[in-house]
Amino acid sequence: MKETTKAFAAKMKLGPHHAIERFGVITGIIAATFVLLLVSTIVSAVGNNRAQLDETALYTASFTTSRTELSGSVDGVYTNEEGTRALVLMRFRDSDAGSFSTDAINYQAFLTGSNEQLDTQPLRTTVTGSIVVFGSTGYLGVVLDSDAPFEQQIISLTLRANSELVYQEDAGRALREDLQDDGSFAEFDQWRLFLNPGASGTEEAASLAGARIDPSALYYELVIAEQEEELRQAMDEQLMEMGAVLNRIDEYDGEMNRVNVDGVFIEPPEVPAQVDGDAVTGEAADADAESTLALETDWVHPSGYDFDWRSGSVEEGYLDAIMPEDETSYVTFLGEKARAEEENSRFAANDMEWRLTDGNDLREYRDSGQAMDPLRDIMNNTTQAYQDYYRLKTDYQVDSLSDLLELEVALRSVESAGSVNAGEEALLTY
């Protein structure tokens, strides 16, 4: 057995005379293992970077102009169905709304290729472009067009405002470090974005189809439609709340005919004009059907509105249908509404009369201890319900319906004041 072991050790070079050889073999195996791990890590990292590049459409979420320091956000990157047209949509912050030009001719764009390290690279896609300004809404965008779907590539887009509407005393201050390699940022009011219009993370926009760039169609689909949907959902909630409060009022009316103290009942009070006859009709939305809720009322707040908003839309327009026939300007109409006298809108539920069937005033029984509490509870609950309903109705008629009309006003302003710069110098590529 001992001789066999020695023979095996000699054959496998496990003896003391072969230590250096064994060390070399072990070192080689370890080195090869590390190389395989390194290669696997690199391959995995490259794959992850490629996947991230394929998915990420926008690398710059906000911007600040280099000279006037106007700030804004980038709302998104949108493409047509074919992937041959892209729009990067930007918005100046509300406080800067009057500080930038609303004419697209006063803007110019510059486009170059880039990479993950944001180094300049050749463009892989032939691109032409236009600049769109959506009136005085604070929104503007750059439309990029290509004969073929956009390649997967990060691109660097620089916007230049050739008309500065804000004076900055320290406009010659030092630029951010990432802009110091380009002296044009000190000479002109510019900002830079990085995006990848060929990424899967873009959103498809139907308004980008066709040859013509329509600012109002873009603005409705990409900005107004979402706000309108949120508002419609909020108004549905208001209608459901109003319906619930009207049910509470009906319940308390029933209690006035049922609850008594020693044979004395509450004489149902006169219903305030602002509430009298109101009803919430229709059904709330469910899995199979959309909401059909609507308010039926004879009283409309002087500064509010009452129209069938559900069967129309902001895009189709409401104003022409609700304006008086002798009114020719929606601006005048809305202004008069906002300034309307509110004499008949005064609502004080605490002024309601609460008579009892014995001829006395319920509110005079203040020193009767707990005996009249059942009737006082009905009075207090009904009064609170009327106040809750009036508040909800005012919010609905004055605030929500006005907000819906304001969306239409914003869309009309884009229709009339939106501009497109599609000239040869609008977008220069390098």
Side-chain angles (χ1 to χ4, degrees), residues 206-247:
S207 52
L208 286 172
R212 178 174 172 266
I213 299 173
D214 184 346
S216 62
L218 288 169
Y219 190 70
Y220 178 76
E221 180 182 7
L222 304 182
V223 179
I224 293 292
E226 181 178 356
Q227 297 177 10
E228 180 181 11
E229 181 58 28
E230 291 175 354
L231 188 52
R232 292 168 78 94
Q233 291 176 4
M235 288 192 290
D236 258 331
E237 291 286 340
Q238 289 174 318
L239 288 168
M240 286 189 284
E241 287 187 72
M242 282 190 282
V245 178
L246 288 175
N247 289 338

Side-chain angles (χ1 to χ4, degrees), residues 32 125 273:
T125 307

